[in-house]
């Protein structure tokens, strides 16, 4: 029996894609290997978003080649494949930079892996590279989703038409595509049958979703959420990542009406400065963004916000940076991701003359992160003493520890019997740090076998 090993870099969409690649390989008779050394097929699912992410792929690939050589000495052949956004961006360069790679295929063509593997066998030594933007949708060719996790991802939309001037995604994932409603509802039902209690709908720009229903009518994300909320057994819904200008009133109303929709929203603002937002080609100002948040809070006063930030975008002055700190102080994010601007070849911002010095970027990132962490810590500390329903999705670090998430996506560890795994349990929060909570089971006896 042949074994595969998949290493995933980048965003949640890549995690979903890797699960689907695993489904394809299972239909070909492969089983999962516990380490790359035991694998006949090693696949890297890659991310191109920032320079560091892309460079790490190549340094890690070098290490994988050593394993390939070691295995060859033991008389075992290894196929190395690269999938994902780096492939779409680098194209034939992959074969130059990592000549030991047997195949490379973009994020929209991995459904062709069975044919690609057959070609690899025929063309021994010559890498097979497929970076087409296909006319067909990969979703029409993938096997059924066999994921059995209690927290499942479900891609509903892919690609992006926004062309923020710093971002590679429109070039690596192509134009926006929304999957039909029926296909998504069927996949969700299947995930719930397999044990999912929570489904996180994914898209690079998920709230621009406009998939067709069976009558051929385009439906928005709000429609999809209301349909999915009807599924018995599904307890929690989330969606990510949203674009501020596409937060329509019908979607905001879902946060008022749907109990299953969790009170947490990742809504990246990137910068608080309108001048920088314009240079980034974002279709919103800081006040548009704040208006959306006000509406969200009217719909559900409990909602906790999260965002992505970029510091040191070309031309960012101290005043622009201060505007970013101001918006953080207004929104008081409960979680956030912040990055130094990374110059990406082929994007418009890479050509701007007024690039910011690395030292300044670093200083600004430190200041921003300290501020973000202070709000995150405050939110977590304020949770102490509260009772929250926690979905325990995996084992924790300690022996009798489980890991789960609160409705607000806070990480939580608790000492619980393993029979509590994949259940939603009321937990009293006892301790908090910036990144995680500790809690105990409220009231009742701990889960027993
Ligand atoms: N589609 C999502 C996220 C895309 S990438 C959105 O629009 O929000 C995730 C995050 O990476 C972005 O939100 C942005 O903050 C960051 N990012 C993208 N390109 C970047 C670059 N060139 N340098 C630094 N950060 C970047
Ligand atoms: Fe990139 Fe902007 Fe599209 Fe997000 S909205 S994927 S940041 S181009
Ligand atoms: Fe990275 Fe591609 Fe996701 S560039 S962030 S893996 S869409």
């Amino acid at each position: 029996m042949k074994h595969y090993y998949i290493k995933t870099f980048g965003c949640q969409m890549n995690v979903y894609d890797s699960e689907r690649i695993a489904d394809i390989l299972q239909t070909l008779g492969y089983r999962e290997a516990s380490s790359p050394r035991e694998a006949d097929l090693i696949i890297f699912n890659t991310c191109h978003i920032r320079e560091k992410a892309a460079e790490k792929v190549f340094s890690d690939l070098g290490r994988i080649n050593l394993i390939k050589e070691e295995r060859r000495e033991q008389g075992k052949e290894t196929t190395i494949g690269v999938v994902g956004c780096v492939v779409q961006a680098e194209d034939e360069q992959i074969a130059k930079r990592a000549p030991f790679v047997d195949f490379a295929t973009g994020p929209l063509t991995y459904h062709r892996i069975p044919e690609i593997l057959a070609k690899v066998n025929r063309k021994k030594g010559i890498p097979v590279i497929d970076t087409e933007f296909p006319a067909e949708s990969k979703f029409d060719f993938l096997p059924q989703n066999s994921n059995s996790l209690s927290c499942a991802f479900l891609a509903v939309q892919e690609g992006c038409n926004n062309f923020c001037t710093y971002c590679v995604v429109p070039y690596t994932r192509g134009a926006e595509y929304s999957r039909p409603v029926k296909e998504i509802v069927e996949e969700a039902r299947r995930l719930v049958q397999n044990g999912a209690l929570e489904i996180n709908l994914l898209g690079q720009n998920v709230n621009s979703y406009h998939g067709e229903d069976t009558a051929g009518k385009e439906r928005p994300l709000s429609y999809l959420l209301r349909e999915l909320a009807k599924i018995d057994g599904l307890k929690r819904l989330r969606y990510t990542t949203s674009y501020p200008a596409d937060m329509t009133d019908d979607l905001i109303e879902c946060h008022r009406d749907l109990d299953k929709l969790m009170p947490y929203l990742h809504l990246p603002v990137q910068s608080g400065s309108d001048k920088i937002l314009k240079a980034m080609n974002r279709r919103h100002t800081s006040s548009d963004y704040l208006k959306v948040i006000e509406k969200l809070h009217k719909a559900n006063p409990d909602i906790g916000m999260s965002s992505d930030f970029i510091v040191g975008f070309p031309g960012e002055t101290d005043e622009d940076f201060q505007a970013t700190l101001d918006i953080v102080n207004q929104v008081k994010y409960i979680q956030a991701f912040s990055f130094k601007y990374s110059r990406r070849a082929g994007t418009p911002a890479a050509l701007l003359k007024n690039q910011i010095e690395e030292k300044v970027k670093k200083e600004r990132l430190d200041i921003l992160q300290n501020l973000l962490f202070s709000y995150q810590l405050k939110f977590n500390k304020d949770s102490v003493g509260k009772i929250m329903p926690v979905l325990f999705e995996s084992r924790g670090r300690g022996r009798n520890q489980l890991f789960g998430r609160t409705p607000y996506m806070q990480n939580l560890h608790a000492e619980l019997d393993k029979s509590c795994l994949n259940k939603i349990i009321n937990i009293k929060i006892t301790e908090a740090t910036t990144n995680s909570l500790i809690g105990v089971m409220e009231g009742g006896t701990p889960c027993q076998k």
Side-chain angles (χ1 to χ4, degrees):
M1 186 183 290
K2 291 201 165 189
H3 287 86
Y4 68 88
Y5 183 88
I6 305 176
K7 180 169 168 134
T8 308
F9 300 78
C11 62
Q12 290 158 323
M13 186 71 96
N14 261 14
V15 175
Y16 176 84
D17 287 338
S18 291
E19 287 167 357
R20 307 316 310 276
I21 293 169
D23 284 336
I24 298 174
L25 297 175
Q26 305 257 356
T27 63
L28 297 178
Y30 282 84
R31 292 292 167 263
E32 192 176 2
S34 50
S35 80
R37 278 200 167 70
E38 274 107 63
D40 309 280
L41 171 61
I42 300 173
I43 293 183
F44 272 28
N45 192 4
T46 61
C47 173
H48 197 64
I49 201 79
R50 284 167 291 274
E51 194 181 348
K52 255 200 200 148
E55 288 313 309
K56 183 154 173 31
V57 167
F58 286 100
S59 59
D60 286 9
L61 270 175
R63 275 199 287 279
I64 287 296
N65 186 37
L66 296 179
I67 294 181
K68 181 171 177 158
E69 282 169 9
E70 262 175 44
R71 282 176 49 95
R72 182 166 291 151
E73 280 162 23
Q74 298 159 7
K76 296 178 197 154
E77 281 306 315
T78 316
T79 303
I80 300 183
V82 188
V83 185
C85 291
V86 169
V87 176
Q88 206 64 48
E90 298 267 330
D91 208 340
E92 302 284 333
Q93 290 300 318
I94 288 257
K96 294 210 176 78
R97 293 188 66 181
F100 47 84
V101 162
D102 297 288
F103 72 86
T105 181
L108 306 180
T109 40
Y110 65 75
H111 58 291
R112 297 178 179 166
I113 282 180
E115 293 96 274
I116 292 173
L117 285 174
K119 258 192 212 161
V120 168
N121 277 335
R122 284 201 303 274
K123 296 171 81 173
K124 283 218 172 335
I126 307 167
V128 180
I129 296 180
D130 184 354
T131 52
E132 197 193 333
F133 279 121
E136 80 267 17
S137 157
K138 68 185 175 201
F139 296 105
D140 293 341
F141 296 86
L142 294 173
Q144 282 192 329
N145 191 334
S146 71
N147 193 326
S148 60
L149 299 172
S150 51
C151 271
F153 289 133
L154 202 176
V156 303
Q157 178 279 338
E158 183 164 24
C160 183
N161 298 345
N162 285 324
F163 290 94
C164 300
T165 54
Y166 49 82
C167 183
V168 297
V169 171
Y171 311 96
T172 63
R173 295 268 173 177
E176 270 180 22
Y177 168 76
S178 296
R179 297 177 69 190
V181 173
K182 184 165 173 269
E183 191 180 303
I184 295 165
V185 173
E186 278 169 6
E187 190 169 326
R189 283 190 194 286
R190 194 177 157 77
L191 289 169
V192 173
Q193 267 165 19
N194 285 356
L197 297 174
E198 173 175 313
I199 293 183
N200 195 340
L201 306 181
L202 299 182
Q204 266 85 38
N205 194 0
V206 72
N207 59 341
S208 77
Y209 175 84
H210 53 88
E212 287 186 359
D213 66 12
T214 37
K217 187 173 168 16
E218 284 197 355
R219 299 291 195 166
L221 185 65
S222 57
Y223 178 86
L224 191 60
L225 285 167
R226 287 177 193 272
E227 287 301 300
L228 294 172
K230 292 178 193 158
I231 299 178
D232 281 340
L234 179 64
K235 305 283 188 219
R236 292 178 161 192
L237 272 167
R238 303 180 188 274
Y239 60 95
T240 198
T241 296
S242 296
Y243 189 77
D246 296 332
M247 280 313 293
T248 48
D249 290 345
D250 55 315
L251 180 56
I252 292 173
E253 282 160 16
C254 289
H255 288 273
R256 180 194 63 201
D257 301 339
L258 300 179
D259 292 341
K260 292 184 182 181
L261 191 56
M262 290 293 100
Y264 169 86
L265 187 67
H266 183 61
L267 190 63
V269 68
Q270 312 297 357
S271 166
S273 153
D274 288 343
K275 181 193 97 190
I276 295 295
L277 288 172
K278 192 154 186 267
M280 287 176 163
N281 192 32
R282 301 281 291 182
R283 286 182 286 112
H284 60 87
T285 61
S286 56
S287 71
D288 297 334
Y289 179 85
L290 290 170
K291 268 184 218 135
V292 168
I293 294 198
E294 202 184 304
K295 284 190 198 171
L296 279 162
H297 277 132
K298 270 203 192 116
N300 180 355
D302 267 351
I303 205 161
M305 297 303 303
S306 156
S307 176
D308 291 341
F309 295 91
I310 296 178
V311 298
F313 184 83
E316 187 187 67
T317 61
D318 286 340
E319 290 74 44
D320 295 319
F321 176 60
Q322 184 56 48
T324 298
L325 300 177
D326 291 346
I327 210 160
V328 172
N329 284 322
Q330 285 188 66
V331 180
K332 303 182 174 53
Y333 293 95
I334 68 167
Q335 217 182 87
F337 304 89
S338 44
F339 314 98
K340 288 185 284 187
Y341 166 72
S342 171
R343 204 171 174 176
R344 307 306 284 130
T347 62
L351 302 175
L352 295 174
K353 294 276 174 295
N354 43 4
Q355 300 285 328
I356 305 292
E357 259 181 90
E358 188 56 30
K359 189 173 146 270
V360 176
K361 285 189 206 171
K362 191 178 174 322
E363 278 167 13
R364 289 183 185 163
L365 187 67
D366 286 347
I367 295 170
L368 175 62
Q369 290 190 333
N370 280 333
L371 184 65
L372 289 168
F373 289 157
S374 70
Y375 283 113
Q376 193 170 322
L377 180 64
K378 183 171 184 321
F379 183 74
N380 285 351
K381 289 264 184 222
D382 288 347
S383 304
V384 172
K386 291 192 178 148
I387 295 162
M388 292 195 207
V390 175
L391 169 49
F392 286 98
E393 58 181 71
S394 63
R395 299 274 172 97
R397 282 183 295 263
R399 248 187 86 224
N400 297 319
Q401 218 180 38
L402 296 183
F403 168 82
R405 287 187 198 268
T406 71
Y408 304 98
M409 281 296 254
Q410 293 154 294
N411 299 329
L412 182 137
H413 293 270
E415 300 250 324
L416 285 174
D417 188 85
K418 59 179 183 301
S419 55
C420 297
L421 199 56
N422 303 324
K423 290 195 179 126
I424 296 175
I425 291 170
N426 278 340
I427 294 290
K428 185 166 185 175
I429 317 299
T430 54
E431 286 175 52
T433 65
T434 311
N435 291 316
S436 75
L437 305 176
I438 293 181
V440 291
M441 180 180 264
E442 170 59 14
T445 39
C447 294
Q448 297 300 333
K449 267 185 226 146

